[in-house]
Amino acid sequence: MPWLKANPFKTGDQRALMALAIAADMEGDFQTSDKAYELLLAQSTDQATLFNNMGYSYMLRGDLLKANSYLAEAERRAPKNDTIRNNRKMLKQVSPL
């Protein structure tokens, strides 16, 4: 199956990079997710979603200050986005920042 050989780091496909970053976060492979997020920062047009996902990534790592910073930026860019608001609410429930 040729699609199994796809490498989003080589193709630069934004959707594939985001999916890879999220999957890597869920597996605890933060080195891979950081690499994908770094590439996405340079090319992504949906910065609010990107900052939201980066914030969630830092929540998974236990770095709640950095998570809050990314989620705040996501909310600044998309104040009516329910997913972002819910992630900030979840963060505030576990840490009174």
Side-chain angles (χ1 to χ4, degrees):
M1 292 180 213
W3 58 270
L4 288 176
K5 295 181 182 182
N7 182 342
F9 290 116
K10 289 183 181 177
T11 66
D13 182 293
Q14 290 182 25
R15 289 179 57 189
L17 278 169
M18 187 67 79
L20 176 64
I22 293 167
D25 279 336
M26 295 299 114
E27 291 291 322
D29 181 2
F30 301 118
Q31 184 176 6
T32 298
S33 65
D34 284 345
K35 184 177 174 184
Y37 289 134
E38 184 178 323
L39 288 171
L40 286 164
L41 279 171
Q43 67 186 30
S44 177
T45 55
D46 187 356
Q47 294 284 310
T49 297
L50 175 58
F51 284 115
N52 175 68
N53 291 354
M54 292 173 74
Y56 193 86
S57 176
Y58 281 97
M59 274 198 286
L60 292 173
R61 302 170 201 212
D63 188 340
L64 303 182
L65 289 175
K66 199 172 253 189
N68 186 58
S69 176
Y70 281 116
L71 291 172
E73 181 60 22
E75 189 171 46
R76 186 187 73 76
R77 291 171 183 254
K80 296 181 182 181
N81 183 303
D82 289 334
T83 301
I84 295 168
R85 281 194 299 220
N86 288 336
N87 283 341
R88 288 208 73 201
K89 182 179 176 182
M90 179 173 46
L91 179 61
K92 288 176 184 177
Q93 289 175 343
V94 298
S95 176
L97 297 172

Coordinates of all heavy atoms in Angstrom, one line a residue:
M1 N 0.8 -1.2 0.0 CA 0.0 0.0 0.0 C 0.9 1.2 0.0 O 1.6 1.5 1.0 CB -0.9 0.0 1.2 CG -1.9 -1.1 1.2 SD -3.0 -1.0 2.7 CE -3.3 -2.8 2.9
P2 N 0.8 2.0 -1.1 CA 1.7 3.2 -1.2 C 1.5 4.2 -0.1 O 2.4 4.9 0.3 CB 1.5 3.7 -2.6 CG 0.3 3.0 -3.0 CD 0.0 1.8 -2.2
W3 N 0.3 4.4 0.4 CA 0.0 5.4 1.4 C 0.7 5.2 2.7 O 1.0 6.1 3.5 CB -1.5 5.6 1.6 CG -2.2 4.4 2.0 CD1 -2.7 3.4 1.3 CD2 -2.4 3.9 3.4 NE1 -3.3 2.4 2.0 CE2 -3.0 2.7 3.4 CE3 -2.0 4.4 4.6 CZ2 -3.4 2.0 4.5 CZ3 -2.3 3.7 5.8 CH2 -3.0 2.5 5.7
L4 N 1.1 3.9 2.9 CA 1.8 3.6 4.1 C 3.2 4.2 4.2 O 3.8 4.4 5.2 CB 2.0 2.1 4.3 CG 0.7 1.4 4.7 CD1 0.9 -0.1 4.8 CD2 0.1 1.9 6.1
K5 N 3.7 4.5 3.0 CA 5.1 5.1 2.9 C 5.1 6.6 2.9 O 6.1 7.3 2.9 CB 5.7 4.7 1.6 CG 6.0 3.2 1.5 CD 6.7 2.8 0.2 CE 6.9 1.3 0.2 NZ 7.5 0.8 -1.0
A6 N 3.9 7.2 3.1 CA 3.8 8.7 3.1 C 4.5 9.2 4.4 O 4.4 8.6 5.4 CB 2.4 9.1 3.2
N7 N 5.3 10.3 4.2 CA 6.0 10.9 5.2 C 5.6 12.4 5.3 O 6.1 13.1 4.5 CB 7.5 10.7 5.0 CG 8.3 11.3 6.2 OD1 7.8 12.1 7.0 ND2 9.6 10.9 6.3
P8 N 4.8 12.8 6.2 CA 4.4 14.2 6.3 C 5.5 15.1 6.5 O 5.4 16.3 6.1 CB 3.3 14.2 7.4 CG 3.5 13.0 8.1 CD 4.2 12.0 7.3
F9 N 6.6 14.7 7.1 CA 7.7 15.6 7.2 C 8.4 15.9 5.9 O 8.9 17.0 5.7 CB 8.8 15.0 8.1 CG 8.3 14.9 9.6 CD1 8.2 13.7 10.2 CD2 8.1 16.1 10.3 CE1 7.8 13.6 11.5 CE2 7.7 16.0 11.6 CZ 7.5 14.8 12.2
K10 N 8.3 15.0 4.9 CA 8.8 15.3 3.6 C 7.8 16.0 2.7 O 8.1 16.8 1.9 CB 9.3 14.0 2.9 CG 10.5 13.4 3.6 CD 11.0 12.2 2.9 CE 12.2 11.6 3.5 NZ 12.7 10.4 2.9
T11 N 6.5 15.6 2.8 CA 5.5 16.1 1.9 C 5.0 17.5 2.4 O 4.6 18.3 1.6 CB 4.3 15.2 1.8 OG1 3.6 15.2 3.1 CG2 4.6 13.8 1.4
G12 N 5.1 17.8 3.7 CA 4.6 19.0 4.2 C 3.1 19.1 4.3 O 2.6 20.2 4.5
D13 N 2.4 18.1 4.1 CA 1.0 18.1 4.1 C 0.5 18.5 5.5 O 0.8 17.8 6.5 CB 0.5 16.7 3.7 CG -1.1 16.6 3.7 OD1 -1.7 16.7 4.8 OD2 -1.6 16.4 2.6
Q14 N -0.2 19.6 5.6 CA -0.6 20.1 6.9 C -1.5 19.2 7.7 O -1.4 19.1 8.9 CB -1.2 21.5 6.7 CG -0.2 22.6 6.3 CD -0.9 23.9 6.2 OE1 -1.9 24.2 6.8 NE2 -0.3 24.8 5.4
R15 N -2.5 18.7 7.0 CA -3.4 17.8 7.7 C -2.7 16.5 8.2 O -3.0 16.1 9.3 CB -4.6 17.4 6.7 CG -5.5 18.5 6.4 CD -6.6 18.2 5.5 NE -7.4 17.0 6.1 CZ -8.3 16.4 5.4 NH1 -8.6 16.7 4.2 NH2 -8.9 15.4 6.0
A16 N -1.8 16.0 7.4 CA -1.1 14.8 7.8 C -0.1 15.1 9.0 O 0.0 14.4 9.9 CB -0.3 14.2 6.6
L17 N 0.5 16.3 8.9 CA 1.4 16.7 10.0 C 0.6 16.9 11.3 O 1.0 16.5 12.4 CB 2.1 18.0 9.7 CG 3.3 17.9 8.8 CD1 3.8 19.3 8.3 CD2 4.5 17.2 9.6
M18 N -0.6 17.5 11.2 CA -1.4 17.7 12.4 C -1.9 16.4 13.0 O -1.8 16.1 14.2 CB -2.6 18.6 12.1 CG -3.4 19.0 13.3 SD -2.6 20.1 14.5 CE -2.8 21.6 13.6
A19 N -2.3 15.5 12.1 CA -2.7 14.1 12.6 C -1.5 13.4 13.2 O -1.7 12.7 14.2 CB -3.2 13.3 11.4
L20 N -0.3 13.5 12.6 CA 0.8 12.9 13.2 C 1.2 13.5 14.6 O 1.5 12.7 15.5 CB 2.0 13.1 12.2 CG 3.4 12.5 12.8 CD1 3.3 11.0 13.0 CD2 4.5 12.9 11.8
A21 N 1.1 14.8 14.7 CA 1.4 15.4 16.0 C 0.4 15.0 17.0 O 0.8 14.7 18.2 CB 1.3 17.0 15.8
I22 N -0.9 14.9 16.7 CA -1.9 14.5 17.7 C -1.6 13.0 18.1 O -1.7 12.7 19.3 CB -3.3 14.7 17.1 CG1 -3.6 16.2 17.0 CG2 -4.3 14.0 18.0 CD1 -4.8 16.5 16.1
A23 N -1.4 12.2 17.1 CA -1.1 10.8 17.4 C 0.1 10.6 18.2 O 0.1 9.8 19.2 CB -1.0 10.0 16.1
A24 N 1.2 11.4 17.9 CA 2.4 11.3 18.7 C 2.1 11.7 20.1 O 2.6 11.1 21.1 CB 3.5 12.1 18.0
D25 N 1.4 12.8 20.3 CA 1.0 13.3 21.7 C 0.3 12.2 22.4 O 0.6 11.9 23.6 CB 0.1 14.5 21.6 CG 0.8 15.8 21.4 OD1 2.0 15.9 21.7 OD2 0.2 16.7 20.9
M26 N -0.6 11.5 21.8 CA -1.4 10.4 22.5 C -0.5 9.3 22.9 O -0.8 8.5 23.8 CB -2.6 9.9 21.6 CG -3.6 11.0 21.3 SD -4.4 11.6 22.8 CE -3.9 13.2 22.9
E27 N 0.6 9.1 22.1 CA 1.5 8.0 22.4 C 2.6 8.4 23.4 O 3.5 7.6 23.8 CB 2.1 7.5 21.1 CG 1.2 6.7 20.2 CD 0.7 5.4 20.8 OE1 1.5 4.7 21.4 OE2 -0.5 5.1 20.7
G28 N 2.6 9.7 23.7 CA 3.7 10.2 24.6 C 5.0 10.5 23.8 O 6.0 10.7 24.5
D29 N 5.0 10.5 22.5 CA 6.2 10.8 21.7 C 6.2 12.3 21.4 O 5.9 12.7 20.3 CB 6.1 9.9 20.4 CG 7.3 10.1 19.5 OD1 8.2 10.9 19.9 OD2 7.3 9.6 18.4
F30 N 6.6 13.0 22.4 CA 6.6 14.5 22.3 C 7.7 15.0 21.4 O 7.6 16.1 20.9 CB 6.6 15.1 23.7 CG 5.4 14.7 24.5 CD1 5.6 14.0 25.7 CD2 4.1 14.9 24.1 CE1 4.6 13.5 26.5 CE2 3.1 14.5 24.9 CZ 3.3 13.8 26.1
Q31 N 8.7 14.3 21.2 CA 9.8 14.7 20.3 C 9.2 14.8 18.9 O 9.5 15.8 18.1 CB 11.0 13.7 20.3 CG 12.1 14.2 19.5 CD 13.3 13.2 19.6 OE1 13.3 12.2 20.3 NE2 14.4 13.6 19.0
T32 N 8.4 13.8 18.5 CA 7.8 13.8 17.2 C 6.8 14.8 17.0 O 6.7 15.6 16.0 CB 7.2 12.4 16.8 OG1 8.3 11.4 16.8 CG2 6.5 12.4 15.5
S33 N 5.9 15.0 18.1 CA 4.9 16.0 18.0 C 5.5 17.4 17.9 O 5.0 18.2 17.2 CB 3.9 15.9 19.2 OG 4.5 16.1 20.4
D34 N 6.5 17.6 18.7 CA 7.2 18.9 18.7 C 7.8 19.2 17.3 O 7.7 20.4 16.8 CB 8.3 19.0 19.7 CG 7.8 19.2 21.1 OD1 6.7 19.6 21.3 OD2 8.7 19.0 22.0
K35 N 8.3 18.2 16.6 CA 8.9 18.4 15.3 C 7.7 18.8 14.3 O 7.9 19.7 13.5 CB 9.6 17.1 14.9 CG 10.3 17.2 13.5 CD 11.0 15.9 13.2 CE 11.6 15.9 11.8 NZ 12.2 14.7 11.4
A36 N 6.6 18.1 14.4 CA 5.5 18.4 13.5 C 4.9 19.8 13.8 O 4.6 20.5 12.9 CB 4.4 17.3 13.7
Y37 N 4.8 20.1 15.1 CA 4.2 21.4 15.5 C 5.2 22.5 15.0 O 4.7 23.6 14.5 CB 4.0 21.6 17.0 CG 2.9 20.7 17.5 CD1 3.0 20.0 18.7 CD2 1.6 20.7 16.9 CE1 2.0 19.2 19.2 CE2 0.6 20.0 17.4 CZ 0.7 19.2 18.5 OH -0.3 18.5 19.0
E38 N 6.5 22.3 15.1 CA 7.4 23.3 14.6 C 7.2 23.6 13.1 O 7.2 24.7 12.7 CB 8.8 22.8 14.9 CG 9.9 23.8 14.5 CD 11.3 23.3 14.8 OE1 11.5 22.6 15.8 OE2 12.2 23.6 14.0
L39 N 7.1 22.5 12.3 CA 6.8 22.7 10.9 C 5.5 23.4 10.6 O 5.4 24.3 9.8 CB 6.8 21.4 10.1 CG 8.2 20.7 10.0 CD1 8.1 19.3 9.5 CD2 9.1 21.6 9.1
L40 N 4.5 23.0 11.4 CA 3.2 23.6 11.2 C 3.2 25.1 11.6 O 2.4 25.9 11.0 CB 2.1 22.9 12.1 CG 1.7 21.5 11.5 CD1 1.0 20.7 12.5 CD2 0.8 21.7 10.3
L41 N 3.9 25.5 12.6 CA 4.0 26.9 13.0 C 4.5 27.8 11.8 O 4.0 28.9 11.6 CB 5.0 27.1 14.1 CG 4.4 26.8 15.5 CD1 5.5 26.8 16.6 CD2 3.3 27.8 15.9
A42 N 5.3 27.2 10.9 CA 5.8 28.0 9.8 C 4.9 28.0 8.6 O 5.0 28.9 7.8 CB 7.2 27.3 9.3
Q43 N 3.9 27.1 8.6 CA 3.1 27.0 7.4 C 1.6 27.0 7.6 O 0.8 27.2 6.6 CB 3.5 25.8 6.5 CG 3.2 24.5 7.1 CD 3.8 23.3 6.3 OE1 4.8 23.5 5.7 NE2 3.2 22.2 6.4
S44 N 1.1 26.7 8.8 CA -0.3 26.5 9.0 C -1.1 27.8 8.9 O -0.7 28.8 9.4 CB -0.5 25.9 10.4 OG -1.9 25.7 10.6
T45 N -2.2 27.7 8.2 CA -3.1 28.8 8.1 C -4.1 28.8 9.3 O -4.7 29.9 9.5 CB -3.9 28.8 6.8 OG1 -4.6 27.5 6.7 CG2 -3.0 28.9 5.6
D46 N -4.4 27.7 9.9 CA -5.3 27.6 11.0 C -4.5 27.7 12.3 O -4.3 26.7 13.0 CB -6.2 26.4 11.0 CG -7.3 26.4 12.0 OD1 -7.3 27.3 12.9 OD2 -8.1 25.4 12.0
Q47 N -4.0 28.9 12.7 CA -3.1 29.0 13.8 C -3.9 28.8 15.1 O -3.3 28.3 16.1 CB -2.5 30.4 13.8 CG -1.5 30.6 12.7 CD -0.2 30.0 12.9 OE1 0.4 30.1 13.9 NE2 0.2 29.2 11.9
A48 N -5.2 29.1 15.2 CA -5.9 28.9 16.5 C -6.0 27.4 16.8 O -5.7 27.0 17.9 CB -7.3 29.5 16.3
T49 N -6.3 26.6 15.8 CA -6.3 25.1 16.1 C -4.9 24.6 16.4 O -4.8 23.8 17.3 CB -6.9 24.4 14.9 OG1 -8.2 24.8 14.7 CG2 -6.8 22.9 15.0
L50 N -3.9 25.1 15.8 CA -2.5 24.7 16.0 C -2.2 25.0 17.5 O -1.7 24.2 18.2 CB -1.6 25.4 15.1 CG -0.1 25.1 15.3 CD1 0.2 23.6 15.3 CD2 0.7 25.9 14.3
F51 N -2.4 26.3 17.9 CA -2.1 26.6 19.3 C -2.9 25.9 20.3 O -2.4 25.5 21.4 CB -2.3 28.2 19.5 CG -1.1 29.0 18.9 CD1 -1.4 29.8 17.9 CD2 0.2 28.8 19.4 CE1 -0.3 30.6 17.3 CE2 1.2 29.6 18.9 CZ 1.0 30.4 17.8
N52 N -4.2 25.6 20.0 CA -5.0 24.7 20.8 C -4.4 23.3 21.0 O -4.2 22.8 22.1 CB -6.4 24.6 20.3 CG -7.3 23.7 21.1 OD1 -7.6 23.9 22.2 ND2 -7.6 22.5 20.5
N53 N -4.0 22.7 19.9 CA -3.4 21.4 20.0 C -2.0 21.4 20.7 O -1.7 20.5 21.4 CB -3.2 20.8 18.6 CG -4.6 20.5 17.9 OD1 -5.6 20.6 18.6 ND2 -4.5 20.1 16.7
M54 N -1.3 22.5 20.5 CA 0.0 22.6 21.2 C -0.3 22.7 22.7 O 0.4 22.1 23.6 CB 0.8 23.7 20.7 CG 1.3 23.5 19.3 SD 2.1 24.9 18.5 CE 3.7 24.9 19.5
G55 N -1.3 23.5 23.1 CA -1.7 23.6 24.5 C -2.1 22.3 25.1 O -1.7 22.0 26.2
Y56 N -2.9 21.6 24.4 CA -3.3 20.3 24.9 C -2.1 19.3 25.0 O -2.0 18.6 26.0 CB -4.3 19.6 23.9 CG -5.0 18.5 24.5 CD1 -6.2 18.7 25.3 CD2 -4.6 17.2 24.3 CE1 -6.8 17.6 25.9 CE2 -5.2 16.1 24.8 CZ -6.4 16.3 25.6 OH -7.0 15.2 26.2
S57 N -1.1 19.4 24.1 CA 0.1 18.6 24.2 C 0.8 18.9 25.5 O 1.3 18.0 26.1 CB 1.0 18.9 22.9 OG 2.2 18.2 23.0
Y58 N 0.9 20.2 25.8 CA 1.6 20.5 27.0 C 0.8 20.1 28.3 O 1.4 19.9 29.3 CB 2.0 22.0 27.0 CG 3.3 22.2 26.2 CD1 3.2 22.6 24.9 CD2 4.5 21.8 26.7 CE1 4.4 22.7 24.1 CE2 5.7 21.9 26.0 CZ 5.6 22.4 24.7 OH 6.7 22.5 23.9
M59 N -0.5 20.1 28.2 CA -1.3 19.5 29.3 C -0.9 18.1 29.5 O -0.7 17.6 30.7 CB -2.8 19.7 29.0 CG -3.4 21.0 29.4 SD -5.2 20.9 29.6 CE -5.7 20.9 27.9
L60 N -0.8 17.3 28.4 CA -0.4 15.9 28.5 C 0.9 15.7 29.2 O 1.2 14.7 29.9 CB -0.5 15.2 27.2 CG -1.8 15.1 26.5 CD1 -1.6 14.6 25.1 CD2 -2.7 14.2 27.3
R61 N 1.8 16.7 29.0 CA 3.2 16.6 29.5 C 3.2 17.0 31.0 O 4.2 16.8 31.6 CB 4.1 17.5 28.7 CG 4.2 17.1 27.2 CD 4.9 18.2 26.5 NE 4.6 18.2 25.1 CZ 5.4 18.5 24.1 NH1 6.7 18.9 24.4 NH2 5.1 18.5 22.9
G62 N 2.2 17.7 31.4 CA 2.2 18.2 32.8 C 2.8 19.6 32.9 O 2.9 20.1 34.0
D63 N 3.1 20.2 31.8 CA 3.6 21.6 31.8 C 2.4 22.6 31.6 O 2.1 23.0 30.5 CB 4.6 21.8 30.6 CG 5.3 23.1 30.7 OD1 4.8 24.1 31.4 OD2 6.4 23.2 30.1
L64 N 1.7 22.8 32.7 CA 0.5 23.5 32.7 C 0.6 25.0 32.4 O -0.3 25.6 31.8 CB -0.3 23.3 34.0 CG -0.6 21.8 34.3 CD1 -1.4 21.7 35.6 CD2 -1.2 21.1 33.2
L65 N 1.8 25.6 32.8 CA 2.0 27.0 32.5 C 2.1 27.2 31.0 O 1.5 28.1 30.4 CB 3.2 27.5 33.2 CG 3.1 27.7 34.7 CD1 4.4 28.1 35.3 CD2 2.0 28.7 35.0
K66 N 2.9 26.3 30.3 CA 3.1 26.4 28.9 C 1.7 26.1 28.2 O 1.4 26.8 27.2 CB 4.2 25.5 28.4 CG 4.7 25.9 27.0 CD 5.9 25.0 26.7 CE 7.2 25.9 26.8 NZ 8.4 25.2 26.3
A67 N 1.0 25.1 28.7 CA -0.3 24.8 28.2 C -1.2 26.0 28.2 O -1.9 26.3 27.2 CB -0.9 23.6 28.9
N68 N -1.2 26.7 29.3 CA -2.1 27.8 29.5 C -1.7 28.9 28.5 O -2.6 29.6 27.9 CB -2.0 28.4 30.9 CG -3.0 29.5 31.1 OD1 -4.2 29.3 30.9 ND2 -2.5 30.7 31.5
S69 N -0.4 29.1 28.3 CA 0.0 30.1 27.3 C -0.4 29.9 25.9 O -1.0 30.7 25.2 CB 1.6 30.2 27.4 OG 2.0 31.1 26.4
Y70 N -0.3 28.6 25.5 CA -0.7 28.3 24.1 C -2.3 28.3 24.0 O -2.8 28.8 23.0 CB -0.2 26.9 23.7 CG 1.2 26.9 23.3 CD1 2.2 26.2 24.0 CD2 1.6 27.5 22.2 CE1 3.5 26.2 23.6 CE2 2.9 27.5 21.8 CZ 3.9 26.8 22.5 OH 5.2 26.8 22.1
L71 N -3.0 27.9 25.0 CA -4.4 27.9 24.9 C -5.0 29.3 25.0 O -5.9 29.6 24.3 CB -5.0 27.1 26.1 CG -4.8 25.5 25.9 CD1 -5.3 24.8 27.2 CD2 -5.6 25.0 24.7
A72 N -4.3 30.2 25.7 CA -4.7 31.6 25.8 C -4.5 32.2 24.4 O -5.4 33.0 23.9 CB -3.9 32.4 26.8
E73 N -3.4 31.9 23.7 CA -3.2 32.4 22.4 C -4.2 31.9 21.4 O -4.7 32.6 20.5 CB -1.8 32.1 21.9 CG -1.5 32.6 20.5 CD -1.6 34.1 20.4 OE1 -1.5 34.9 21.4 OE2 -1.7 34.6 19.2
A74 N -4.6 30.6 21.5 CA -5.6 30.0 20.7 C -6.9 30.7 20.9 O -7.6 31.1 19.9 CB -5.7 28.5 21.0
E75 N -7.3 31.0 22.1 CA -8.5 31.6 22.4 C -8.5 33.1 21.9 O -9.6 33.6 21.4 CB -8.8 31.6 23.9 CG -10.3 32.0 24.2 CD -10.6 31.8 25.7 OE1 -9.8 32.1 26.6 OE2 -11.7 31.3 25.9
R76 N -7.4 33.7 22.0 CA -7.3 35.1 21.5 C -7.6 35.1 20.0 O -8.2 36.0 19.5 CB -5.9 35.7 21.8 CG -5.8 37.1 21.4 CD -4.3 37.6 21.5 NE -3.5 37.1 20.5 CZ -3.4 37.5 19.2 NH1 -4.2 38.5 18.8 NH2 -2.6 37.0 18.3
R77 N -7.1 34.1 19.3 CA -7.3 34.0 17.8 C -8.7 33.6 17.4 O -9.1 33.9 16.3 CB -6.2 33.1 17.2 CG -4.8 33.7 17.3 CD -3.8 32.7 16.9 NE -2.4 33.2 17.1 CZ -1.7 33.6 16.1 NH1 -2.1 33.5 14.8 NH2 -0.5 34.1 16.3
A78 N -9.3 32.8 18.3 CA -10.6 32.2 17.9 C -11.5 32.2 19.2 O -11.7 31.1 19.8 CB -10.5 30.9 17.3
P79 N -11.9 33.4 19.7 CA -12.6 33.5 21.0 C -14.0 32.7 21.0 O -14.4 32.4 22.1 CB -12.8 35.0 21.2 CG -12.7 35.6 19.8 CD -11.8 34.7 19.0
K80 N -14.5 32.4 19.9 CA -15.8 31.7 19.9 C -15.7 30.2 19.7 O -16.7 29.5 19.6 CB -16.8 32.3 18.9 CG -17.1 33.7 19.2 CD -18.1 34.3 18.2 CE -18.3 35.8 18.6 NZ -19.2 36.4 17.7
N81 N -14.5 29.7 19.7 CA -14.2 28.2 19.4 C -14.5 27.4 20.7 O -13.8 27.6 21.7 CB -12.8 28.1 18.9 CG -12.5 26.6 18.5 OD1 -12.7 25.7 19.3 ND2 -12.1 26.4 17.3
D82 N -15.5 26.6 20.6 CA -15.9 25.8 21.8 C -14.8 24.8 22.2 O -14.7 24.6 23.4 CB -17.2 25.0 21.5 CG -18.4 25.9 21.4 OD1 -18.4 27.0 22.1 OD2 -19.4 25.6 20.8
T83 N -14.1 24.2 21.3 CA -13.1 23.3 21.7 C -12.0 24.0 22.5 O -11.5 23.4 23.5 CB -12.5 22.6 20.4 OG1 -13.5 21.9 19.7 CG2 -11.4 21.6 20.8
I84 N -11.6 25.1 22.0 CA -10.5 25.9 22.7 C -11.0 26.3 24.1 O -10.4 26.1 25.1 CB -10.1 27.1 21.9 CG1 -9.4 26.6 20.6 CG2 -9.2 28.0 22.7 CD1 -9.2 27.7 19.6
R85 N -12.3 26.8 24.2 CA -12.8 27.2 25.5 C -12.9 26.0 26.4 O -12.6 26.1 27.6 CB -14.2 27.8 25.3 CG -14.1 29.3 24.8 CD -15.4 30.0 25.0 NE -16.4 29.3 24.2 CZ -17.4 29.9 23.5 NH1 -17.5 31.2 23.5 NH2 -18.2 29.2 22.8
N86 N -13.3 24.8 25.9 CA -13.4 23.7 26.8 C -12.0 23.2 27.3 O -11.9 22.8 28.4 CB -14.1 22.5 26.0 CG -15.6 22.8 25.9 OD1 -16.2 23.5 26.6 ND2 -16.2 22.2 24.9
N87 N -11.0 23.3 26.4 CA -9.7 22.9 26.9 C -9.2 23.9 27.9 O -8.5 23.5 28.9 CB -8.7 22.9 25.7 CG -8.9 21.6 24.9 OD1 -9.4 20.6 25.3 ND2 -8.4 21.6 23.6
R88 N -9.5 25.2 27.8 CA -9.1 26.1 28.8 C -9.8 25.9 30.1 O -9.2 25.9 31.2 CB -9.3 27.6 28.4 CG -8.3 28.0 27.3 CD -8.0 29.4 27.2 NE -7.2 29.8 28.3 CZ -7.1 31.1 28.7 NH1 -7.8 32.0 28.2 NH2 -6.3 31.4 29.8
K89 N -11.1 25.5 30.0 CA -11.9 25.2 31.2 C -11.3 24.0 31.9 O -11.2 24.0 33.1 CB -13.3 25.0 30.8 CG -14.3 24.7 31.9 CD -15.7 24.5 31.4 CE -16.6 24.2 32.5 NZ -18.0 23.9 32.1
M90 N -11.0 23.0 31.1 CA -10.4 21.7 31.7 C -9.1 22.1 32.4 O -8.9 21.6 33.5 CB -10.2 20.7 30.6 CG -9.6 19.4 31.1 SD -9.5 18.1 29.8 CE -8.9 18.9 28.4
L91 N -8.3 22.9 31.8 CA -7.0 23.2 32.4 C -7.2 24.0 33.7 O -6.5 23.7 34.7 CB -6.2 24.1 31.4 CG -4.8 24.6 31.9 CD1 -3.9 23.4 32.2 CD2 -4.2 25.5 30.9
K92 N -8.2 24.9 33.7 CA -8.4 25.7 35.0 C -9.0 24.8 36.1 O -8.8 25.0 37.3 CB -9.4 26.8 34.7 CG -8.8 27.9 33.9 CD -9.8 29.0 33.5 CE -9.1 30.0 32.6 NZ -10.1 31.1 32.2
Q93 N -9.6 23.7 35.7 CA -10.1 22.7 36.7 C -9.0 21.9 37.4 O -9.1 21.6 38.6 CB -11.1 21.8 36.1 CG -12.5 22.4 35.8 CD -13.4 21.5 35.1 OE1 -13.0 20.5 34.5 NE2 -14.7 21.9 35.0
V94 N -7.9 21.7 36.7 CA -6.8 21.0 37.3 C -5.7 21.9 37.8 O -4.9 21.4 38.6 CB -6.2 20.0 36.3 CG1 -7.2 18.9 35.8 CG2 -5.6 20.7 35.1
S95 N -5.7 23.1 37.5 CA -4.7 24.1 37.9 C -5.2 25.5 38.0 O -5.6 26.0 37.0 CB -3.5 24.0 37.0 OG -2.5 24.9 37.4
P96 N -5.2 26.1 39.2 CA -5.7 27.5 39.3 C -4.6 28.4 38.8 O -3.9 29.0 39.6 CB -6.0 27.6 40.8 CG -5.0 26.6 41.4 CD -4.9 25.5 40.4
L97 N -4.5 28.6 37.5 CA -3.5 29.5 37.0 C -3.9 30.9 37.1 O -5.0 31.3 36.9 CB -3.2 29.1 35.5 CG -2.6 27.7 35.3 CD1 -2.5 27.4 33.8 CD2 -1.2 27.6 35.9

